[in-house]
Amino acid sequence: MKKLLSIVLAVLMIFSLMTGCTSKTDAPNEPVGEDTLFKAGKYAGEAQGFGGTIKVEVEVSDSEILKINVLEHKESAGISDPAFNKIPSQIIENQSVAVDTISGCTFSSKGLIDAVKAALISAGATEEEISKAVEKKAASTEVIKKEADVVIIGSGGAGMSAAVEAIDAGASVIVIDKQSSVGGNTLLAGSALNAADPERQKEQTMSEAELKTIEKILAVEPVNDAMKVWHDTLEKELDEYKASGATYLFDSPSFHKLQTYIDGDFVAETEKVDILGDNAPEAIKFLEGLGAKWIDQIQAAVGATWKRSHTPTTDLGTKGASFVLPQANYATENGAEIMLDSKAEELIMTDGRCTGVKGTTTEGQPFEITAKKGVIIATGGFGANVEMRQKYNKHWAVLDESVDTTNGPFATGDGIIMADAVGANLVGMEWIQLIPTYGPGVFTPYIENQFYINKEGNRFVHEDGRRDELSKAVLEQTDAQLYIISDANTIKDGMTTTGTNVDERIGNGYVWKADTIEELAKMINVPVENLQASVDEFNNSLRTGNDPFGRTVFDKEFGTAPFYAGLTYPMVHHTMGGIQVTTKCEVLDTEGNVIPGLFAAGEVTGGIHGANRLGGNAIADVVVFGRIAGQNAVK
Ligand code: ADP
């Protein structure tokens, strides 16, 4: 059952290794004889990876590296798999640690290589002896030729959702990805999925302050017919809710659409917003049908502005893995081929129709794939392409290389460039989202039980606001940084409610933990009285519904030790602009005509979110529109 099952098995194997295996060496570190390289035996070695220490055991004869076992690591499942799957065999094959790191998991690769190196040095070899240059085999120049009904470029959430639908519609499918593993940013993401979900939301209550949020949205004057329909529907739904005497957390697709549109500054395409709001609940069921599971509580992701974010469990490693791996498994089990390490470079056009894709494998071999029915571009955004960021940016002072990104290095806008080259229209390219809450100092993507302070210890923004507002507010603070402050309502026994181990990050320079507010303030060097005033303000706002910054999303009273602080800053996260498509995900050219045979879905497209994307709407977008692209490419 091909590559994907082996990915899942590798993930599970790695987890079983993580649960309690210790390394055992049976050879002493004695001097090695003159004509031998090692003292035969098994040696332990360890080094730092991305997520923590990687421990290996290496078995050697007196002249050869025989076996490499990974005993323990904390790298992200899915993302780091290519390193663990490829590097040990490459080291053994070449009898050298001078093998290449793997793109997309460079830190894990380096940690693994260094751990093996350390073991080999304890076996008596010198670094020079085990680092002989690895001969690169010249790639074949023969063009790999393949054919399928539907060819999908990109194996993130959009690409895999498209693959599942195309397979279900009876098509043959090839998915290509330039990375060594599936998943793209969807695998790396916080993975909140926004959808109105009466069943789960009924389990939660709604506060007075939250009711005000709905009323505030209803007070916004409709600017067009579509918005008027959403507005009037929401008004009616809310009246019914109030008349019923209900106290549960209200939600509906109309409310979701209005928030998406208003918080996107009215520049999204209303037909797309309609599709997103109506189909997001079904996306939840679609993913559940493939094996995805959610934690029970519905939360508000940063920038979601309402508690409708569904959080996947971490059963398969990362949260994103729980979307993508079941989809990828389903697709491959049902006949799809996933070609990894294969970068698409050019769309093949025949008499105005897109009939395939050309590209090159990581090893340098050219490929050409013919698409009998359609090509779907699902290559994600351009957040990691500094040149494109600077070319299109109109709203941020700087977006050069000094601004980090939360994206994987593969988010270089390739699909936009390829589509542009065949005449596709690009829309909303200037809208680039920065998020202030990402990276090692962030515990959870959810906000209800946390607040933010600046370096002076003061709150400065309503934490439940839009990501662009939050980022702008942070950029005005000292050092353009913020501390996220949490207590036991977010982190219990060192773990967040969404399964992140925070305690193992203490000491990384971004995370602090204390038993009292006073101690925490000292640790992060902010005035105690200011931090205490911020805590009091949070609790007062929760009780009264009158927050000086206008925050309305709360959950529990703050103040149960232990307390945590996490340091973070704005980074480029999402690119709202991209290829313009019809509601069927057909790519439009600059004259407004459909380019036959060419489809696009996910972050590579524009027009769905407008000027600002709600937190939790990206996963809804990629699944909803990925499915539509898959269905229509087959038609
Ligand atoms: P989305 O959220 O829209 O699904 P993701 O970022 O999750 O987007 O996934 C996009 C995927 O597309 C990534 O796995 C990335 O490696 C892949 N990709 C990007 N450019 C290319 C390309 N030129 N050829 C093949 N795959 C690509």
Side-chain angles (χ1 to χ4, degrees), residues 153-159 176-179 181-187 342-345 378-381 410-412 414-415 418 601-604 622:
I153 317 172
S155 69
I176 60 174
D177 202 294
K178 64 180 176 181
Q179 292 288 109
S181 55
V182 295
N185 279 317
T186 309
L187 200 81
S342 304
K343 181 179 178 191
E345 289 160 338
T379 47
F410 47 81
T412 42
D414 301 8
M418 284 185 281
E603 194 177 340
V604 75
V622 302

Side-chain angles (χ1 to χ4, degrees), residues 484-498:
I484 300 174
I485 306 294
S486 296
D487 71 354
N489 291 325
T490 301
I491 307 160
K492 232 185 184 157
D493 302 325
M495 302 287 289
T496 65
T497 48
T498 48

Side-chain angles (χ1 to χ4, degrees), residues 515-529:
D515 289 328
T516 63
I517 290 291
E518 195 179 356
E519 209 186 311
L520 190 70
K522 279 191 194 135
M523 281 178 173
I524 60 174
N525 205 20
V526 304
V528 180
E529 59 284 7

Side-chain angles (χ1 to χ4, degrees), residues 20-25 43-46 55-57 69 71-72:
C21 256
T22 52
S23 89
K24 227 165 110 191
T25 58
Y43 296 84
E46 58 180 67
K55 293 185 181 170
V56 299
E57 183 185 70
N69 285 330
L71 300 176
E72 210 178 301

Side-chain angles (χ1 to χ4, degrees), residues 209-347:
E210 283 168 329
L211 182 59
K212 272 194 207 160
T213 299
I214 309 179
E215 283 162 354
K216 229 161 66 189
I217 287 289
L218 278 173
V220 180
E221 200 59 42
V223 297
N224 53 40
D225 292 348
M227 192 178 162
K228 174 125 182 48
V229 172
W230 305 332
H231 175 277
D232 293 352
T233 312
L234 176 60
E235 200 164 47
K236 197 165 148 264
E237 289 164 343
L238 190 63
D239 284 347
E240 283 167 11
Y241 169 89
K242 284 181 181 163
S244 74
T247 55
Y248 60 81
L249 181 65
F250 172 90
D251 203 6
S252 74
S254 317
F255 185 30
H256 186 185
K257 292 175 203 176
L258 274 175
Q259 285 191 302
T260 300
Y261 192 60
I262 294 169
D263 285 340
D265 289 340
F266 312 93
V267 293
E269 294 168 24
T270 51
E271 309 80 25
K272 306 266 170 59
V273 176
D274 238 340
I275 293 174
L276 184 77
D278 284 336
N279 291 279
E282 174 57 30
I284 297 276
K285 297 214 163 68
F286 164 77
L287 292 175
E288 281 171 354
L290 295 169
K293 291 189 205 112
W294 321 100
I295 66 165
D296 290 336
Q297 203 183 351
I298 302 295
Q299 297 170 289
V302 173
T305 68
W306 193 251
K307 286 187 210 151
R308 66 167 69 88
S309 310
H310 295 64
T311 312
T313 62
T314 46
D315 293 4
L316 292 179
T318 64
K319 294 183 193 111
S322 60
F323 286 105
V324 187
L325 296 186
Q327 289 180 307
N329 261 342
Y330 180 87
T332 47
E333 274 167 18
N334 289 286
E337 182 183 353
I338 299 183
M339 276 175 68
L340 296 172
D341 289 309
S342 304
K343 181 179 178 191
E345 289 160 338
E346 191 185 327
L347 299 168

